[in-house]
Amino acid sequence: MSDSDVSFPAGVLEDILSGLPVKSLLRFRSVSKSLRALIDSTYFVNLHMQRSMKTNRILYFSGDSHGPITLRNPSAVTLETPFELTAFPLVYGSCHGLVCLSNGPDDLSILLWNPSTRKYKPIPEPLGDEDIIAFDQLGYDHASNDYKVVRLSCTDSTMVFRVVVYSLKLDAWQLVEQDFPSSFFPVNCYGQGVFVNGAVHWLVNQIPFPDKGNLIYAFDLATQSFYTVPQPQYPNNFSATNLGKLDGRLCVICTHEVSNVDVWVMCEYGVKESWSNLAALSMNDMITQAPPTVKPLIYTKKGRDVLLEVHKQGLIDYDLQEKRTIERWTGDASRICMFVYQESLVPLFRNEHVV
């Protein structure tokens, strides 16, 4: 087929192609030079991403400490990773179709991966002292149109964490002049972080003031500044144990007497009064009788239900109107890791063609 065989009115071809999955677009690149140039263009990559953001997909790793590790989609089709995994991976966030992950908790090296294009990029280690602890999180800096990884790291027992930021555009780490505002023990940093509203968020228990409760610290990628985020007005004896993200909104997971879990969502970012108690779970709702960990994933049934990962072992479908669990699924492995992403053509290298 030549470039002159088919013609479309201005904008029609872009509109058609931007609604297609990445797999189809990669095939269409070989049809003609003009199609290849369009699909590779920054304009089209952004157009396709804007439409893809409306459709959430779930990928999950499954395996056990000694068994095989696979990456699947909800229809149970195994996806081969273009890199070797020797341990159960840790996922440090997904953003615009890019996923940040490492090869297990003992490996501080990380990489960026686009599952749709199957491209991946190992991230170089930051210069400086060797870190003994590191917490990483992927985000997007809208001011510089740049994907960044924020790392909290410490090199000794002082528990004073420095902040370094990796820029995909520069392919380099930069040290932030201000250290993390609070010292904390690693066991008191709940999760790796959550990227919402242009900032990475952590839930930490301060040193030397653990009795003051947990705080939510946020790091703005554009201004490289810290601030605190107000929390919900919890009922008595409830305490925040983790952060989450649901439909682009910040979530807090809190527990009460080990067996009860509430999921709160911040409907208007930064406004304390906008926190809403989304789900209230009891042990009867859970897949396991162990103290539960809960991660919100996506809304289902046009927002009537929410899908929650529980204890890294399975899923529950929670009815938001009836306030009860209506279905449970468990995996065929001792451990799973689920995350939400969107298909995209976002490149990982300068002048990258998406073949």
Side-chain angles (χ1 to χ4, degrees):
M1 178 185 291
S2 68
D3 291 358
S4 59
D5 286 338
V6 180
S7 61
F8 292 88
V12 173
L13 180 61
E14 290 89 334
D15 185 62
I16 295 172
L17 292 177
S18 64
L20 296 179
V22 169
K23 186 176 181 179
S24 299
L25 293 172
L26 297 182
R27 291 201 304 266
F28 288 158
R29 288 184 74 259
S30 61
V31 171
S32 69
K33 291 181 179 180
S34 61
L35 270 182
R36 185 185 307 119
L38 171 62
I39 293 170
D40 288 349
S41 67
T42 301
Y43 162 76
F44 183 80
V45 169
N46 290 333
L47 179 64
H48 181 267
M49 182 178 64
Q50 290 169 9
R51 294 190 65 172
S52 295
M53 293 292 288
K54 300 175 183 177
T55 305
N56 288 320
R57 300 174 182 272
I58 296 178
L59 291 180
Y60 68 95
F61 293 98
S62 65
D64 54 46
S65 56
H66 303 289
I69 298 167
T70 58
L71 177 64
R72 302 178 180 182
N73 66 18
S75 59
V77 176
T78 300
L79 303 177
E80 294 184 4
T81 58
F83 43 83
E84 184 179 1
L85 292 172
T86 59
F88 197 88
L90 293 179
V91 176
Y92 302 136
S94 63
C95 183
H96 297 174
L98 301 184
V99 179
C100 181
L101 70 164
S102 76
N103 195 14
D106 297 325
D107 190 349
L108 295 184
S109 61
I110 55 178
L111 58 85
L112 291 176
W113 175 41
N114 186 328
S116 303
T117 64
R118 295 183 52 79
K119 298 283 187 176
Y120 75 99
K121 177 182 177 65
I123 296 179
E125 287 287 331
L127 297 177
D129 297 329
E130 184 175 348
D131 299 327
I132 61 171
I133 302 168
F135 300 97
D136 298 303
Q137 182 63 36
L138 174 66
Y140 173 70
D141 180 355
H142 62 88
S144 60
N145 188 27
D146 193 7
Y147 295 90
K148 296 181 176 181
V149 177
V150 181
R151 169 171 286 191
L152 307 184
S153 64
C154 74
T155 58
D156 53 37
S157 60
T158 62
M159 296 299 117
V160 175
F161 283 75
R162 69 171 184 168
V163 184
V164 288
V165 177
Y166 171 79
S167 162
L168 178 61
K169 185 179 289 187
L170 299 177
D171 191 23
W173 291 89
Q174 295 178 318
L175 178 64
V176 176
E177 293 183 2
Q178 180 186 0
D179 289 335
F180 194 77
S182 174
S183 297
F184 58 89
F185 287 120
V187 294
N188 290 332
C189 183
Y190 303 95
Q192 289 290 332
V194 173
F195 176 72
V196 174
N197 203 58
V200 177
H201 300 70
W202 298 271
L203 180 69
V204 301
N205 197 321
Q206 300 180 93
I207 299 173
F209 308 110
D211 295 338
K212 290 189 175 182
N214 302 328
L215 291 176
I216 301 176
Y217 277 110
F219 178 76
D220 188 292
L221 290 181
T223 63
Q224 294 202 341
S225 59
F226 289 96
Y227 58 93
T228 57
V229 177
Q231 297 185 58
Q233 189 64 47
Y234 304 115
N236 291 336
N237 300 322
F238 272 79
S239 60
T241 57
N242 215 333
L243 299 180
K245 180 179 179 178
L246 183 63
D247 198 28
R249 293 173 174 172
L250 183 66
C251 296
V252 169
I253 294 84
C254 62
T255 59
H256 171 60
E257 293 182 351
V258 179
S259 60
N260 296 298
V261 178
D262 281 7
V263 179
W264 294 73
V265 60
M266 193 177 227
C267 299
E268 185 177 351
Y269 185 79
V271 179
K272 180 179 178 66
E273 294 74 21
S274 73
W275 282 105
S276 174
N277 192 330
L278 184 74
L281 308 170
S282 68
M283 189 60 75
N284 294 331
D285 297 305
M286 301 302 175
I287 295 168
T288 173
Q289 294 301 306
T293 58
V294 174
K295 180 171 69 175
L297 292 171
I298 58 173
Y299 288 108
T300 60
K301 300 178 182 177
K302 298 182 178 180
R304 294 192 300 270
D305 294 4
V306 63
L307 201 62
L308 304 167
E309 178 193 293
V310 178
H311 209 60
K312 298 186 183 299
Q313 292 183 353
L315 291 171
I316 61 175
D317 189 2
Y318 185 85
D319 189 308
L320 296 173
Q321 295 178 343
E322 298 185 10
K323 297 293 183 182
R324 66 182 182 90
T325 296
I326 57 175
E327 200 164 0
R328 299 175 179 86
W329 298 273
T330 56
D332 55 1
S334 63
R335 187 180 181 188
I336 62 174
C337 171
M338 297 192 174
F339 58 94
V340 177
Y341 88 111
Q342 298 84 28
E343 283 202 349
S344 83
L345 294 161
V346 173
L348 291 168
F349 302 90
R350 295 178 183 176
N351 303 318
E352 174 187 331
H353 298 302
V354 294
V355 208

